[in-house]
Amino acid sequence: MKPTRSDRSALAAFMAPALIIMLVFFVIPVIYVVVVSVLKWNGISTATFTDIQNFAKLFKDKAFVRSVTNNVIWALVAGFIQVPLAMVMAIILSRKPAGWKFFRTVYFFPQVISGIALATLWRAIYNADTGLLNGLLRSIGLGDLARDWLGTVDTAFPAVLIYWVFYVGYYMVIMMADITTIDSSYYEAATIDGASDFQQAIYITIPLIKRTSLLTCVTLASVLGLRQFEQVYMLTNGGPANRTSTMVLYMYKKLQDTNYGMASASAVILIIVGVIFIVCIRALFNIGNDEVRAQKKMRRAVK
Amino acid sequence: MKKLIALLLAMVMVFALAACGQQTAPAGEQPAAEQPAAEQPAGEIVINFPSIWVGTDSKAEYMGKLIEAFNEENAGAIKVVVEEQTDYQAYRDKIRTTITTGSAPDICILDTTFDIKAYAESGKFMDLTPYLEAGWGDTFTDGAFDAWSVDGKVSILPFESAVFTPIYNTEILAAAGWDHFPATYDEFFQMAEDVKAAGYNVMGQMAGDNAWSSMLWYSLIVEAIGGKDVYANGLSDPAFVEAAKVLKEMYNYTFDGAVSATAGDVNGHFIARDTAIYLNGPWWIANFYKEDNAVDGKLLADVCEVAVNPGYGEGKGVGGLVTTVQGFLAAAKQDDPAKEAAVVKFLQYVTDPAHVSELALSSGAMFFVKYTPSPDTNVISQKVTEVANSAEFTILHVNGAFPTAFSTEFPAAVSALVLGEVDEQGFVDMLQTAIDNAA
């Protein structure tokens, strides 16, 4: 049934607020960023058109290339290590073992602490001189392993990334909420058929949350991975030797230099990387193909 | 009917959203200048002053009193409203953004991380030249405006100055067998070996955060090698590569973890008295007299002496001093002549020599104002002033001598240098590339 004219008016009226907000707070700023990305502008003097020079400079800058690489690694780790970890925790806790409420709270707790506070805490832990980690290593006779975790080329980025990976509470809670909506009869039937807990998780839980909360969490985690800033800013400010720099931090530094052209160019690249990631995630989860298949199926059925 | 209700609901949402744009913000979130509007007497001029001289800043206490006194003296006519910002970087970001967006505050504090010349040329700030020429300019030190005026016009006032000279712990040097501070960098590294052998760190270095301490040491070494004209040819002067070698060597004599260290680590080590030499601006001097930093009843000041930058082999820098403008005062261009006069009145009040003398006494900071130092000025401040007065020439700290991109890139460059990712020339090249990219 085709929507009537009055249906269309109602739809338009409902969509208008969101569209206006989207236009004002997203579309226009993005267009503005794209325009500034081809300008040489220090925020005070008159801007001059520079063609694609800002982009050329970006890709010649090792710090920017390193930032993009770090962000891609971060997003991949977020999507394919952090979220699966969260999923495992969600599956385990949704079976409601003893103390599950306590553990759910414990795992979720870091989410209510600001990223800045956590970064400050971990900065103290990693401190080469007085840090807990080196102290622990020394106390158990592994003093040779003690080092300047945030000041060594090989360890700085893993050190920044690794603690954050274990903060799985946010995604865990989302997936737990989804798992609780799965009809218990599936599990009862599987139990009667002799399926183990592991098999139930693999063949019932994961397939049923794959298109919903799992996809949401992978998308969210990857996008947040691409947007990383405060953690790196607080822990290392991108150092040592730009080894831990990220795109947003790079952009921030260009803004500090009042180099608005290059800052905007790096923002454009960030948007493109983000779009590529989302397309890849959708492809991975077969979202587009399924929708196309479903539409074709529906058309055939109508005919 | 349902559609009509739906339509009405949608319209309500649109109007509600539109109303959000005009909704009054909660009191705590209002710009400070707007807060007193309700109680503002008719005709009172409100001056908005986002300030970093608040909280634990050494100038906070006296500046607070000064502003309070000004407001009392001008009650009903002028009111200075301070927007407190205690985070330096956040303050810079905010001011930079407000200026770029054309909403510069009535008065703000800038430092050399801003491109002062470009700001002065922008026409966004009040031209203070007529007021300075009318006599106010005589209160400032000779040549204070030379480097910052554009076409003979002054719109950004250099206010707080700083000199950078090493201060050392006499007890640590004595423990290492030294009764004097080295006069040359060759001697400096001999002393460094002895201090290290005695179980102490020689100096605090940091490549984390903004690499402030390392940047200061780099400035001193550059000055010692290159002399007063070292900036004439930009970074192409060989002194910059040579200075990088010395700076890298210094990292052998600092505490563990200096590559990721911040100013807190550097300060902490010196206060803990496990580090022999400290380098920072005069604003830090007040900490030498804090009871909190005393050990066995001895203040830090009791065991410290002020030194001069050592000379460097055949270097040209003997007798030189590294300085900077730590704080500029800038006022946004005003359309209202009455408000312009009020802003100038406040600036004149703050830069009044009597007030600056008190401010210097309470904070330990130095200023581009001709003032008579208080007889109560502490010994370390007096000695730093003596060093400053006896300098044959001065050069700017590197962060003031080069565009902001230099300072932004410095932490990455120095950590790359220390970790062997680049050699000395590569270090200078990193800094040059950053400057070129921003140009």
Side-chain angles (χ1 to χ4, degrees):
Chain A
M1 192 174 71
K2 282 187 176 179
T4 63
R5 196 174 167 183
S6 119
D7 285 338
R8 283 197 207 103
S9 306
L11 278 171
F14 268 114
M15 289 175 71
L19 282 174
I20 291 165
I21 290 170
M22 187 80 174
L23 188 74
V24 171
F25 293 107
F26 183 73
V27 179
I28 292 172
V30 167
I31 292 168
Y32 182 74
V33 163
V34 173
V35 170
V36 177
S37 73
V38 291
L39 300 177
K40 183 180 174 227
W41 187 43
N42 66 2
I44 313 163
S45 315
T46 312
T48 51
F49 180 66
T50 60
D51 208 336
I52 55 162
Q53 275 182 35
N54 289 330
F55 291 92
K57 280 181 186 175
L58 276 185
F59 287 104
K60 276 185 199 164
D61 189 346
K62 284 179 188 169
F64 180 72
V65 175
R66 171 71 65 181
S67 303
V68 175
T69 311
N70 283 347
N71 266 126
V72 170
I73 293 170
W74 203 304
L76 289 173
V77 167
F80 301 102
I81 296 180
Q82 192 184 31
V83 173
L85 263 176
M87 186 184 71
V88 169
M89 296 311 302
I91 290 171
I92 292 170
L93 293 183
S94 58
R95 307 292 291 192
K96 301 190 176 169
W100 70 278
K101 282 185 179 173
F102 170 76
F103 286 108
R104 184 184 60 182
T105 308
V106 166
Y107 287 122
F108 188 74
F109 190 65
Q111 305 301 321
V112 299
I113 302 171
S114 85
I116 299 284
L118 286 174
T120 308
L121 176 77
W122 278 92
R123 187 173 178 84
I125 291 172
Y126 285 134
N127 188 294
D129 218 10
T130 55
L132 189 67
L133 183 56
N134 281 350
L136 187 70
L137 288 170
R138 287 185 190 112
S139 68
I140 57 172
L142 295 172
D144 289 348
L145 294 177
R147 64 194 62 214
D148 183 4
W149 297 96
L150 298 174
T152 307
V153 167
D154 298 331
T155 58
F157 189 61
V160 169
L161 188 59
I162 210 156
Y163 81 84
W164 169 84
V165 168
F166 293 101
Y167 291 145
V168 296
Y170 182 62
Y171 307 114
M172 183 193 78
V173 167
I174 292 175
M175 284 187 274
M176 275 184 78
D178 197 15
I179 291 169
T180 54
T181 65
I182 297 172
D183 195 328
S184 60
S185 61
Y186 294 136
Y187 295 105
E188 286 161 14
T191 308
I192 291 164
D193 289 344
S196 65
D197 284 352
F198 179 73
Q199 286 170 321
Q200 287 178 29
I202 296 291
Y203 297 110
I204 299 172
T205 311
I206 295 175
L208 288 175
I209 64 167
K210 185 181 156 192
R211 302 292 169 79
T212 52
S213 58
L214 187 57
L215 170 66
T216 306
C217 290
V218 169
T219 309
L220 273 177
S222 301
V223 169
L224 288 176
L226 291 175
R227 281 174 18 193
Q228 272 303 321
F229 171 73
E230 76 268 23
Q231 196 167 325
V232 176
Y233 177 70
M234 287 301 293
L235 278 172
T236 61
N237 194 24
N242 292 317
R243 286 301 170 115
T244 59
S245 184
T246 61
M247 280 190 277
V248 181
L249 183 64
Y250 182 91
M251 195 193 314
Y252 174 70
K253 288 183 176 179
K254 292 297 162 197
L255 290 172
Q256 281 186 322
D257 296 347
T258 55
N259 189 345
Y260 289 92
M262 278 184 80
S264 299
S266 57
V268 170
I269 302 293
L270 177 61
I271 292 168
I272 292 169
V273 172
V275 169
I276 292 171
F277 251 85
I278 288 171
V279 168
C280 289
I281 290 167
R282 285 177 67 84
L284 190 72
F285 281 79
N286 237 353
I287 296 297
N289 294 341
D290 273 13
E291 281 170 5
V292 171
R293 267 199 295 271
Q295 279 173 3
K296 280 181 183 169
K297 212 172 176 182
M298 199 184 278
R299 274 187 213 126
R300 264 187 242 120
V302 171
K303 281 175 188 172
Chain B
M1 185 62 189
K2 278 182 185 171
K3 281 170 193 161
L4 186 67
I5 292 169
L7 200 62
L8 281 169
L9 278 172
M11 285 173 70
V12 167
M13 282 169 69
V14 172
F15 284 124
L17 283 164
C20 285
Q22 295 174 341
Q23 195 174 355
T24 308
E29 294 169 18
Q30 271 185 320
E34 292 171 19
Q35 279 184 21
E39 303 157 16
Q40 190 185 330
E44 185 180 65
I45 294 168
V46 175
I47 297 172
N48 175 22
F49 179 25
S51 176
I52 192 68
W53 296 332
V54 292
T56 56
D57 187 279
S58 59
K59 290 174 288 300
E61 192 182 344
Y62 188 75
M63 276 305 293
K65 286 178 187 168
L66 202 60
I67 292 167
E68 206 177 303
F70 179 84
N71 285 341
E72 273 175 28
E73 283 177 27
N74 296 278
I78 308 170
K79 185 177 177 73
V80 176
V81 179
V82 174
E83 267 182 55
E84 296 197 2
Q85 175 57 264
T86 54
D87 183 286
Y88 289 81
Q89 195 51 52
Y91 181 81
R92 291 185 190 111
D93 292 343
K94 177 182 173 156
I95 297 299
R96 200 170 275 128
T97 308
T98 55
I99 294 169
T100 300
T101 53
S103 51
D106 296 330
I107 296 173
C108 62
I109 303 158
L110 306 178
D111 62 19
T112 49
T113 63
F114 292 84
D115 192 344
I116 297 296
K117 280 270 184 166
Y119 278 39
E121 284 167 358
S122 70
K124 295 189 177 190
F125 293 96
M126 196 187 290
D127 180 12
L128 300 168
T129 321
Y131 303 100
L132 291 165
E133 285 176 351
W136 181 26
D138 296 339
T139 60
F140 289 85
T141 53
D142 298 336
F145 309 119
D146 291 354
W148 315 106
S149 59
V150 175
D151 299 330
K153 289 183 177 177
V154 179
S155 57
I156 296 176
L157 282 179
F159 179 56
E160 184 184 354
S161 64
V163 300
F164 302 105
T165 198
I167 295 177
Y168 64 98
N169 184 318
T170 52
E171 288 183 344
I172 294 178
L173 255 67
W178 286 73
D179 61 1
H180 67 281
F181 192 79
T184 67
Y185 273 98
D186 283 341
E187 208 186 350
F188 181 93
F189 283 107
Q190 289 168 21
M191 177 271 299
E193 277 298 322
D194 293 337
V195 169
K196 193 176 176 183
Y200 295 98
N201 304 307
V202 179
M203 85 292 285
Q205 294 286 352
M206 55 177 272
D209 203 5
N210 57 3
W212 177 248
S213 300
S214 291
M215 211 190 303
L216 283 178
W217 277 109
Y218 189 60
S219 290
L220 260 66
I221 306 162
V222 162
E223 184 278 318
I225 298 171
K228 64 178 176 180
D229 298 322
V230 71
Y231 296 130
N233 299 312
L235 284 170
S236 60
D237 192 300
F240 291 97
V241 174
E242 189 67 18
K245 279 183 197 167
V246 180
L247 183 65
K248 187 178 179 182
E249 179 68 9
M250 282 184 168
Y251 269 78
N252 294 324
Y253 299 98
T254 188
F255 48 79
D256 288 344
V259 172
S260 64
T262 62
D265 297 310
V266 173
N267 297 343
H269 277 281
F270 189 70
I271 289 168
R273 303 189 189 190
D274 67 19
T275 299
I277 307 167
Y278 185 74
L279 182 59
N280 205 346
W283 57 83
W284 208 81
I285 290 173
N287 292 288
F288 285 86
Y289 292 91
K290 279 188 179 167
E291 293 287 343
D292 293 351
N293 299 333
V295 174
D296 298 332
K298 271 189 184 175
L299 294 172
L300 201 50
D302 297 338
V303 296
C304 285
E305 264 300 335
V306 178
V308 294
N309 187 20
Y312 186 86
E314 300 298 310
K316 307 165 189 169
V318 176
L321 183 74
V322 175
T323 67
T324 196
V325 183
Q326 189 60 24
F328 295 87
L329 284 168
K333 206 171 193 172
Q334 301 289 345
D335 296 328
D336 177 6
K339 186 157 187 180
E340 178 171 321
V343 168
V344 170
K345 188 175 183 182
F346 176 67
L347 289 176
Q348 288 174 335
Y349 189 82
V350 171
T351 57
D352 179 275
H355 296 149
V356 171
S357 177
E358 288 295 318
L359 186 58
L361 175 66
S362 70
S363 66
M366 300 169 86
F367 299 90
F368 286 100
V369 171
K370 292 174 192 161
Y371 62 91
T372 310
S374 162
D376 299 328
T377 304
N378 66 58
V379 176
I380 300 251
S381 290
Q382 285 177 26
K383 287 182 179 173
V384 169
T385 307
E386 278 169 28
V387 168
N389 292 340
S390 62
E392 290 169 25
F393 65 89
T394 61
I395 69 162
L396 273 176
H397 175 25
V398 286
N399 85 337
F402 293 106
T404 313
F406 177 98
S407 306
T408 313
E409 184 67 2
F410 193 86
V414 76
S415 54
L417 172 72
V418 174
L419 296 172
E421 296 278 293
V422 294
D423 61 10
E424 290 80 7
Q425 184 61 55
F427 164 81
V428 174
D429 290 345
M430 279 180 79
L431 298 169
Q432 186 63 60
T433 305
I435 293 170
D436 292 344
N437 279 342

